[in-house]
Amino acid sequence: MNLRCLSCKRTYPYDTHRWRCECGGVFELEGAPGFAQDEIETGDFSLWRYRAMLPVEHEKGIISLGEGFTPLVETQVYGTRIHCKLEFLAPTGSFKDRGTAVLVNVLRELGVKRVVEDSSGNAGASLAAYAARSGIEAEIYVPAHASPNKLHQITVYGARLVKVEGPRERAAQAVQEAAAQGAYYASHYYNPFTLEGLKTIAYEIWEQLGWRAPDNLVLPVGHGTLLLGAYRGFKHLLAAGLIERPPRLFAIQAETCAPLYEAYQRGLGEAFPIEKNETVAEGISIARPVRGRQILAAVRATGGAVLAVDDEETLRARDELARRGLYVEPTSAVAIAALPQLRGLMGTDETTIVPLTGNGLKSQAKGD
Ligand SMILES: [Zn+2]
């Protein structure tokens, strides 16, 4: 296995501590194991049932908090029947645990003792938990305005919290400076090992639907790691001859911070940085998605679309979902808020999956 730059195609060894290419491009993991149905560990009800398909060499001593294998629950919202994938039931309350679990196990194999990360909350909490579990020291750079519940969660796990004033991007700059001083940058959006963990959501959906792919996957998108991870998983299933096609990918953004939506509308292949405004969907408030080109290509290749919703629609969708017993943070609700717009694009007999990405208990009760 190697890390390959998506821009200039240069390769780096698997154990490099570089977090991106010299040219500034992002890495992809090359030579990762594909999908093999007969290698599923059917007695393991976590994502480690797919351990043979993950880039972790040593099976013994895997660090796990029981992540993955989240329930699929049917409901109807705005007249559309959907299957909700309850990712908010993950050990730290968000889908990020899939990527972090695999990343941290790779880092243990590489002998990494100290990591830095920037996050608006969920990825930081996830890394803090898995770092605690594995004895790795973690330092998390967060925007000072992030949800206090999330910041509290990070510190209780024992990670060092560095609050950075200003927009989300300032935390990213600060962490890159720390990485330049020698810390391993365990970025949930730059690091390709997180996508390997996230691909397991596709495998699970396929198993839970009775060994078939859904027609549509609707999800909130900021850096788009869950979308790209899921796409990777479905492509592996396709390559194994187990599905006919990947689901159509519908990427939903918050209107006040929608660089991918802007690019999609203009028919562009890459997102350009935008001036963003505040949104209740803090988890996807990303002005410059570093894998924008990949996301737009995946959406177009599957016949999906990028849509945007406003905060009022998002909060209403959060409430609609809660009236059905499912309590999510506003970021997760953007996917539900887009269902009325999607009605014309999806058939009534189609299977539509909406991953519910983050727990409502993480959000602030006031002001969201
Ligand atoms: Zn490069």
Side-chain angles (χ1 to χ4, degrees), residues 30-332:
E30 197 176 49
F35 190 80
Q37 187 169 6
D38 54 2
E39 290 192 57
I40 300 174
E41 302 260 355
T42 52
D44 184 333
F45 297 99
S46 75
L47 63 76
W48 297 103
R49 68 198 272 106
Y50 309 112
R51 67 183 61 181
M53 299 146 233
L54 293 168
V56 177
E57 282 180 23
H58 304 293
E59 283 208 10
K60 280 188 184 146
I62 282 175
I63 291 286
S64 172
L65 292 166
E67 57 284 337
F69 228 74
T70 54
L72 205 54
V73 173
E74 267 190 79
T75 190
Q76 189 162 334
V77 194
Y78 301 132
T80 301
R81 197 172 65 88
I82 56 171
H83 290 77
C84 297
K85 180 85 169 135
L86 307 194
E87 291 295 284
F88 65 79
L89 296 179
T92 75
S94 89
F95 77 95
K96 305 279 188 191
D97 291 344
R98 289 183 189 275
T100 312
V102 170
L103 172 62
V104 164
N105 277 285
V106 172
L107 296 185
R108 287 177 74 233
E109 292 187 344
L110 300 184
V112 171
K113 299 273 189 278
R114 180 173 164 252
V115 295
V116 292
E117 157 76 312
D118 57 303
S119 163
S120 62
N122 285 339
S126 183
L127 184 61
Y130 285 86
R133 182 77 169 178
S134 58
I136 291 174
E137 204 183 310
E139 202 169 77
I140 315 291
Y141 291 67
V142 294
H145 59 79
S147 161
N149 290 0
K150 290 178 182 173
L151 302 189
H152 179 68
Q153 189 184 6
I154 292 169
T155 50
V156 174
Y157 284 130
R160 200 168 87 81
L161 193 66
V162 185
K163 288 188 187 179
V164 183
E165 293 294 337
R168 169 75 179 78
E169 288 67 28
R170 292 288 297 279
Q173 283 166 10
V175 82
Q176 288 172 16
E177 283 157 23
Q181 305 299 314
Y184 186 96
Y185 183 18
S187 172
H188 63 285
Y189 51 97
Y190 273 109
N191 196 294
F193 296 110
T194 61
L195 296 182
E196 287 296 304
L198 292 168
K199 77 183 181 186
T200 59
I201 194 173
Y203 301 165
E204 287 176 23
I205 291 168
W206 173 78
E207 282 203 70
Q208 288 171 314
L209 290 178
W211 304 283
R212 66 182 179 89
D215 298 293
N216 310 299
L217 186 62
V218 186
L219 63 186
V221 167
H223 274 301
T225 53
L226 185 58
L227 181 146
L228 291 172
Y231 185 48
R232 198 170 172 82
F234 282 113
K235 278 198 298 186
H236 286 177
L237 290 165
L238 183 68
L242 296 167
I243 59 171
E244 282 174 30
R245 68 184 73 85
R248 292 192 290 169
L249 301 175
F250 292 99
I252 318 301
Q253 297 217 281
E255 223 169 53
T256 50
C257 181
L260 294 162
Y261 174 70
E262 303 280 338
Y264 179 79
Q265 288 288 6
R266 296 189 197 182
L268 302 177
E270 175 65 288
F272 46 88
I274 52 142
E275 284 295 319
K276 69 175 183 184
N277 288 304
E278 292 293 301
T279 169
V280 294
E282 62 177 19
I284 53 167
S285 177
I286 305 295
R288 189 180 160 270
V290 299
R291 295 180 184 273
R293 181 173 289 278
Q294 277 177 284
I295 297 164
L296 290 164
V299 164
R300 290 186 174 118
T302 60
V306 186
L307 303 171
V309 297
D310 67 30
D311 278 5
E312 201 178 311
E313 292 170 307
T314 296
L315 292 177
R316 194 175 141 229
R318 190 268 312 263
D319 293 352
E320 287 290 332
L321 204 54
R323 302 293 192 275
R324 288 155 180 79
L326 298 163
Y327 183 41
V328 299
E329 61 175 322
T331 302
S332 311

Side-chain angles (χ1 to χ4, degrees), residues 5 8 21 23 25:
C5 171
C8 74
C21 180
C23 83

